[in-house]
Amino acid sequence: MQIKKFPKKILTRIPPYTIKKPRGTRDFSPREMEKREYVEDSIIGVIESYSYRKILTPTFEHAELFQLKSGKEIEEHMYVFEDKSGRRLSLRPEATASVCRMFAEELRGSRLPLKLYYSCPMFRYERPQMGRYREFWQLGIELIGPKGPESDAEVIAIAYKSLKKLGLKFQLEIGHLGILRGLMDALDVDEEIQNMVIASIDRGDLKNLKKLIDKQILFDLMGIKGDKGIIEQADNLLDKYPEARKSVNELREVIHWLDLMNVEYKIDLGIARGLEYYTGTVFEIRVPGLGAQDQICGGGRYDDLIELFSGVKVPAVGFAFGFDRIMKAIDLQEIKIPRKVTDVVIAPVSDTVREEAVKIASQLRDELSVDMDLMNRKLEKILEYAGDIGARYTIIVGPEDLKKREVTIRNMESGKQKRIRIENLREEMIK
Ligand code: AMP
């Protein structure tokens, strides 16, 4: 394969080169990363409290992995490329297909249930807009093995509790694809059309939906939204469709468990989810006020996907948080995230004490975060800097003090200073 050469122009241009980041990608400042890591740790804390363990799959996979079942929506937006040996690869647009592939390839013999989570970037060649990026992060879980409604409820509860812990206001809506599919099976709609119907419902494309199917009962079903009482409405509407009613019953059981777990939700039988592999319970979480891209989480049960790769039927259920949208929601709702503090800035007053100052810094770093002046600034400037970064203390190392094996500690909040012997410094600072 021929590798494209850079256009000559760029090589002959004179620095500084103005090279921007690719469209749909972002840089994250230290403060943004601090916030993202705080939120990630908080969510992972909930996930691990349910005994889920972290995995990582490759950043790129064979493109066909996602073409098999992830659905048109995903397929159209894949970053596909050919490697030097002509393999068709794709940057991962989502993780569930990879997790199923990993199950078949690596985890097949594992004791079930497998409780897995991941947190990594995904790539979709979409039109960038507010809340929609080409590189974005998903944090998700997959529960492999259990089939019962209690396991659907556990997965939903994890999403719910993770967001509650952060103090977010959001809406959780639950539906069931078995109801829609059961009805369409009974109406003799073939699988390909069913997938198109589901994709149209997911996009809210009513015009296309009407072209695909003209059964009023489907539209009536999609319109059922509200508190759990409305499940009876669905049951009545579907009295001639026993398969679809079985799924209504399953949904009823999921809700029973959710009530027990103190999870608040709404029912929405119009939830379809764009990914083709969902077979049962599906759910979405929205944050009002986030604009067009207000969905921060999507998930559901996918009982047939693992079989596609492993040949054995293993049921599974999971969800993915749109991590970037959670961060947007946190900003929108003005949820405060603590800053990481630098405990100490070390200020050597002159070059002669620099070596001793470095020794003090490395000793304190066993327990504290310590910033040593590396710019050879004057004391006044170092104190200004320590104030700016929010350091709690500055330790001033001066030649006269050093002769007595002493340093001066300045409390940056009160401005009070005191002298202390170096041998007592560690104890003083960590008390
Ligand atoms: P999906 O894998 O399409 O079900 O998406 C799961 C979640 O990922 C969605 O609820 C969104 O919050 C988030 N998401 C999907 N696509 C993007 C994107 N292009 N940019 C940012 N977040 C996204």
Side-chain angles (χ1 to χ4, degrees):
M1 197 185 82
Q2 184 123 43
I3 300 171
K4 270 195 194 156
K5 295 241 167 65
F6 278 120
K8 262 237 152 41
K9 207 167 64 181
I10 204 160
L11 298 175
T12 54
R13 260 183 11 210
I14 300 163
Y17 303 120
T18 44
I19 300 172
K20 301 250 168 72
K21 56 186 161 301
R23 219 164 109 74
T25 66
R26 286 152 300 155
D27 298 309
F28 298 104
S29 67
R31 176 61 185 149
E32 281 169 314
M33 282 314 291
E34 190 173 286
K35 284 162 81 176
R36 289 172 76 90
E37 279 182 354
Y38 176 90
V39 172
E40 187 185 25
D41 288 349
S42 167
I43 296 175
I44 286 175
V46 175
I47 293 174
E48 291 196 343
S49 78
Y50 285 76
S51 188
Y52 286 65
R53 295 292 172 253
K54 192 169 190 175
I55 53 162
L56 184 62
T57 59
T59 308
F60 54 87
E61 298 262 13
H62 292 289
E64 61 179 333
L65 173 70
F66 306 110
Q67 284 168 319
L68 279 169
K69 266 287 181 200
S70 297
K72 277 263 167 313
E73 183 69 17
I74 292 275
E75 196 179 340
E76 278 167 17
H77 295 120
M78 271 162 42
Y79 266 93
V80 182
F81 59 97
E82 230 175 62
D83 72 4
K84 289 183 184 176
S85 308
R87 298 182 191 92
R88 263 189 94 245
L89 302 171
S90 168
L91 296 183
R92 67 177 165 234
E94 57 119 3
T96 302
S98 298
V99 174
C100 294
R101 196 257 321 124
M102 177 180 176
F103 178 82
E105 208 174 330
E106 314 276 351
L107 301 171
R108 200 187 265 272
S110 309
R111 192 184 293 277
L112 298 179
L114 269 170
K115 298 176 136 196
L116 311 173
Y117 76 90
Y118 56 85
S119 176
C120 52
M122 306 293 162
F123 306 87
R124 295 186 194 171
Y125 194 80
E126 296 185 289
R127 196 170 62 79
Q129 49 186 293
M130 178 65 176
R132 196 179 274 285
Y133 309 99
R134 289 185 173 169
E135 182 191 33
F136 61 98
W137 271 254
Q138 283 188 343
L139 200 174
I141 71 169
E142 313 289 355
L143 171 55
I144 299 174
K147 168 122 196 74
E150 189 187 345
S151 47
D152 297 30
E154 173 172 301
V155 165
I156 296 173
I158 291 175
Y160 178 89
K161 306 243 153 150
S162 301
L163 299 175
K164 275 276 168 197
K165 182 176 162 197
L166 287 165
L168 272 173
K169 292 187 200 70
F170 59 90
Q171 285 164 3
L172 162 63
E173 284 148 15
I174 303 171
H176 198 299
L177 270 187
I179 306 178
L180 275 174
R181 288 209 186 259
L183 174 66
M184 288 196 280
D185 281 344
L187 295 171
D188 272 338
V189 180
D190 73 45
E191 198 189 324
E192 204 175 321
I193 305 282
Q194 284 193 21
N195 290 341
M196 286 156 79
V197 165
I198 284 168
S200 301
I201 298 177
D202 187 51
R203 283 199 308 271
D205 186 351
L206 275 182
K207 226 163 102 190
N208 196 41
L209 189 60
K210 285 197 171 123
K211 272 192 231 155
L212 290 165
I213 198 162
D214 63 351
K215 303 282 185 202
Q216 187 53 40
I217 186 163
L218 184 107
F219 290 90
D220 292 345
L221 191 66
M222 275 170 52
I224 295 183
K225 300 178 205 297
D227 293 328
K228 65 178 168 189
I230 55 105
I231 290 195
E232 300 321 312
Q233 256 182 54
D235 219 11
N236 293 335
L237 185 69
L238 295 166
D239 63 347
K240 294 194 195 69
Y241 302 94
E243 273 309 305
R245 273 183 90 184
K246 251 199 233 163
S247 296
V248 173
N249 215 25
E250 218 174 271
L251 183 59
R252 207 183 264 124
E253 285 183 49
V254 173
I255 274 157
H256 164 75
W257 288 106
L258 285 175
D259 287 343
L260 254 152
M261 295 170 183
N262 286 324
V263 173
E264 293 160 79
Y265 54 84
K266 288 261 187 282
I267 305 288
D268 182 351
L269 298 188
I271 294 180
R273 311 284 307 127
L275 296 113
E276 252 167 43
Y277 46 65
Y278 289 116
T279 52
T281 307
V282 278
F283 67 100
E284 292 177 348
I285 299 178
R286 288 174 198 287
V287 170
L290 267 192
Q293 310 302 330
D294 65 349
Q295 196 203 108
I296 60 164
C297 177
R301 176 163 283 285
Y302 54 95
D303 283 347
D304 302 334
L305 191 60
I306 292 182
E307 187 179 14
L308 210 64
F309 302 111
S310 70
V312 241
K313 196 164 168 75
V314 186
V317 52
F319 70 73
F321 280 130
F323 191 76
D324 309 273
R325 294 189 191 165
I326 292 184
M327 294 312 299
K328 275 237 148 56
I330 287 205
D331 282 346
L332 180 78
Q333 296 181 12
E334 295 177 1
I335 291 170
K336 296 271 171 291
I337 292 182
R339 278 185 171 273
K340 272 196 183 144
V341 286
T342 297
D343 298 306
V344 182
V345 170
I346 309 266
V349 169
S350 67
D351 262 353
T352 53
V353 297
R354 198 155 265 285
E355 287 181 4
E356 195 61 40
V358 166
K359 275 197 216 157
I360 292 170
S362 34
Q363 190 197 19
L364 291 178
R365 279 193 183 114
D366 287 341
E367 272 105 5
L368 303 169
S369 76
V370 180
D371 190 344
M372 162 86 196
D373 169 68
L374 296 172
M375 304 279 282
N376 285 320
R377 286 193 177 119
K378 294 222 164 0
L379 178 60
E380 189 192 330
K381 289 280 169 208
I382 300 175
L383 288 174
E384 236 172 63
Y385 167 79
D388 280 355
I389 65 165
R392 288 164 49 221
Y393 298 96
T394 300
I395 294 178
I396 304 163
V397 187
E400 291 311 311
D401 282 356
L402 257 193
K403 280 184 197 151
K404 289 178 262 160
R405 299 301 295 156
E406 285 181 351
V407 289
T408 300
I409 303 176
R410 182 185 176 93
N411 180 319
M412 296 305 291
E413 203 178 24
S414 65
K416 285 201 180 118
Q417 298 194 171
K418 68 172 171 189
R419 266 209 294 252
I420 185 157
R421 291 190 60 75
I422 293 177
E423 68 204 47
N424 300 330
L425 186 58
R426 186 177 157 269
E427 208 173 308
E428 171 75 19
M429 295 307 297
I430 61 172
K431 74 177 180 202

